[in-house]
Amino acid sequence: MFDRDRWQEIFEAIGKNKLRTFLSGFTVALGILIFTILLGLGNGLLNSFLSSFVDDAQNVIFIRGGRTSKAFKGFQENRKIQFENEDFEFVNSNYIGKVEYATPRIYRNGLAKYKKESGSYSIRAVHPDHQYLEKTIMMKGRYLNEADIVERTKNIVIGRLIEKDLFKNENALGKTLEVDGIAYKIVGVFQDSGGDNEERILYMPYKTVQLLFGNNEDLDQINISYNMAMDTEQAIAFSKQIEEDFKKKFNVSPDDQSAIRVRSFAEDIKETMVILGGIYALIFVVGIGTLISGVIGIGNIMTFSIKERTKELGIRKALGASPRSIIAMVLQESVLITAVAGYLGLILGMLILKLIGNNLEDFFILNPKVDTGVIVVATITLILSGLLAGYIPARRAAKIKPIIALRDE
């Protein structure tokens, strides 16, 4: 492997066939380059998809009410489906073991004031489980708890940017915040990875909001997270079961698509994985196809090289060189060309992906890159490809008879 004379022979052989070596190596490098870029872009699509879950749990199911589009069982169409507390309790009592966390949501906007500062913010009235569904991170104090719900307290949790907007350099924890003329005690300050808007939200106990704003039991939405023991297909089936159960509960036609809307992230995951699977298959076919072209090219190079060196190889065998040493020399040359060309393509592809960075974020490609595992696989593939390309020419070289080779012109 580290025989100086052998390496000198290999480089001399390459030097005699510069153009053919360059063209064959270029094919291998181009194949690896295309493979690397396509794989990086595919990973960028996957990163973009996964980023949509950065501030939400990945096993969330949203249940929303709409309006009926069809008359059913004596009920007229265009009937509004209004969820109430009993529907939230229905979810908790009917899907035991299948539901991990559950929360209702009531949406409002409110004008918040502290001393001379004020601002309009989104209000979400929720159950304490909402913290886990939204991946809310507490910076100070605590999140809402069961006591806040049962006692309908006027405790409130505010986003980091609301504290920054209204309290400037003061610590908001424990202070009183006036929202639409009602005073609330701030029991917690949170941060959220979902962006600035997600950190300008006020969280209140949902029963407090129901009491203060209409004294009713209306809910705008119910969110749950399914048991993570379910696989994707089971999770999709579970979301369909919920939709069917709610349609029966509200006397909605089974084929009415607008009255009860159930959306599961599991369906998004399945659809995205199907698309990504197709993209990765295309990448594999293109990459392997181009690599095979390069291997054939290098195989031809080695064949021509050996033919031109027939006399030389015959002399080596006449002087006692074993067939094994001849094969090793040819394979070594083949692996060298394949590995060098392949790594040039790999490095160039990684540099291009680095230059792309997040510039294609508008096309849903986020942080495209290839991981270390791909580099390891590429290394093994290149070595195997080199061995494959050189094997047949090496075998031919090993079978050269010295007396015939010495007559070769």
Side-chain angles (χ1 to χ4, degrees):
M1 183 68 182
F2 300 103
D3 188 322
R4 183 178 176 180
D5 293 337
R6 179 180 292 179
W7 280 110
Q8 190 173 356
E9 285 183 45
I10 289 173
F11 286 119
E12 285 178 0
I14 292 174
K16 290 176 183 176
N17 299 284
K18 290 178 183 173
L19 181 60
R20 285 203 296 261
T21 303
F22 170 77
L23 291 177
S24 296
F26 177 77
T27 308
V28 173
L30 182 63
I32 296 297
L33 173 66
I34 294 172
F35 177 77
T36 304
I37 292 176
L38 290 178
L39 185 61
L41 295 179
N43 289 337
L45 283 173
L46 180 61
N47 292 337
S48 181
F49 171 69
L50 294 177
S51 70
S52 63
F53 296 110
V54 70
D55 66 328
D56 291 309
Q58 296 184 23
N59 55 334
V60 175
I61 297 176
F62 300 103
I63 310 168
R64 300 184 180 92
R67 287 186 177 275
T68 57
S69 61
K70 297 179 180 180
F72 187 70
K73 288 186 176 180
F75 293 96
Q76 298 295 315
E77 67 178 74
N78 200 33
R79 176 168 51 98
K80 182 181 179 182
I81 303 299
Q82 177 63 60
F83 291 160
E84 296 185 344
N85 290 349
E86 66 168 308
D87 300 309
F88 178 54
E89 292 160 8
F90 172 81
V91 168
N92 283 322
S93 59
N94 280 271
Y95 305 121
I96 295 173
K98 293 183 177 180
V99 173
E100 185 181 33
Y101 299 109
T103 178
R105 270 187 184 179
I106 302 171
Y107 296 103
R108 294 186 63 86
N109 289 315
L111 181 65
K113 292 183 180 178
Y114 178 73
K115 294 181 180 177
K116 294 181 181 179
E117 303 294 335
S118 65
S120 182
Y121 299 99
S122 297
I123 298 172
R124 285 182 187 171
V126 299
H127 181 273
D129 280 5
H130 192 277
Q131 179 182 2
Y132 307 104
L133 292 171
E134 190 68 17
K135 292 184 179 177
T136 303
I137 302 167
M138 296 308 300
M139 296 172 59
K140 303 174 185 176
R142 64 170 175 84
Y143 200 71
L144 303 173
N145 58 29
E146 289 288 349
D148 293 320
I149 304 298
V150 174
E151 298 170 10
R152 293 172 171 77
T153 64
K154 292 180 183 175
N155 290 334
I156 191 171
V157 177
I158 68 172
R160 178 182 65 88
L161 294 181
I162 295 178
E163 182 185 45
K164 186 177 180 182
D165 292 343
L166 304 182
F167 294 85
K168 305 303 178 186
N169 296 323
E170 286 187 50
N171 184 355
L173 192 63
K175 300 281 192 330
T176 299
L177 182 66
E178 185 180 301
V179 181
D180 288 337
I182 300 173
Y184 296 87
K185 180 182 178 182
I186 298 173
V187 296
V189 180
F190 70 89
Q191 64 183 47
D192 194 297
S193 302
D196 289 357
N197 289 337
E198 295 292 321
E199 293 187 332
R200 285 195 166 92
I201 291 176
L202 301 162
Y203 286 120
M204 297 182 181
Y206 74 96
K207 287 193 175 180
T208 302
V209 171
Q210 288 175 330
L211 176 66
L212 297 176
F213 299 93
N215 194 21
N216 56 43
E217 295 196 347
D218 292 351
L219 302 174
D220 293 329
Q221 184 176 328
I222 298 172
N223 294 354
I224 66 171
S225 61
Y226 56 82
N227 190 327
M228 288 298 283
M230 294 185 192
D231 60 27
T232 303
E233 294 298 333
Q234 289 172 327
I236 293 173
F238 179 46
S239 66
K240 289 179 178 176
Q241 180 191 344
I242 293 173
E243 184 175 341
E244 289 176 7
D245 291 345
F246 268 72
K247 283 182 176 178
K248 288 179 183 176
K249 192 172 187 298
F250 284 90
N251 292 309
V252 172
S253 171
D255 56 353
D256 189 332
Q257 301 300 316
S258 60
I260 303 291
R261 288 168 289 181
V262 178
R263 181 195 165 205
S264 171
F265 279 173
E267 294 180 26
D268 297 342
I269 292 171
K270 182 181 179 183
E271 291 173 1
T272 303
M273 288 302 145
V274 169
I275 295 172
L276 285 173
I279 292 173
Y280 284 131
L282 178 63
I283 292 169
F284 180 79
V285 170
V286 171
I288 294 297
T290 316
L291 184 60
I292 288 174
S293 300
V295 168
I296 292 173
I298 290 175
N300 288 332
I301 281 282
M302 299 309 300
T303 301
F304 281 115
S305 177
I306 287 167
K307 187 172 180 58
E308 290 174 354
R309 296 157 59 193
T310 301
K311 193 170 186 177
E312 171 196 329
L313 293 172
I315 294 171
R316 289 174 63 90
K317 293 193 74 175
L319 293 175
S322 66
R324 187 175 177 180
S325 67
I326 300 292
I327 290 175
M329 182 185 69
V330 175
L331 290 181
Q332 200 169 323
E333 182 177 339
S334 175
V335 170
L336 174 68
I337 297 172
T338 309
V340 170
Y343 264 101
L344 285 175
L346 180 65
I347 292 170
L348 183 59
M350 292 173 70
L351 286 175
I352 290 174
L353 289 175
K354 190 173 182 179
L355 289 174
I356 291 174
N358 288 329
N359 292 321
L360 297 180
E361 195 170 352
D362 291 341
F363 298 95
F364 305 105
I365 294 173
L366 185 64
N367 190 24
K369 64 180 181 180
V370 292
D371 56 30
T372 308
V374 172
I375 296 173
V376 173
V377 172
T379 303
I380 297 171
T381 303
L382 289 171
I383 293 172
L384 292 176
S385 299
L387 293 173
L388 181 65
Y391 179 72
I392 295 177
R395 291 277 296 173
R396 287 180 180 172
K399 291 179 180 176
I400 291 175
K401 296 185 181 303
I403 191 164
I404 295 176
L406 291 173
R407 293 176 184 166
D408 187 71
E409 295 296 336

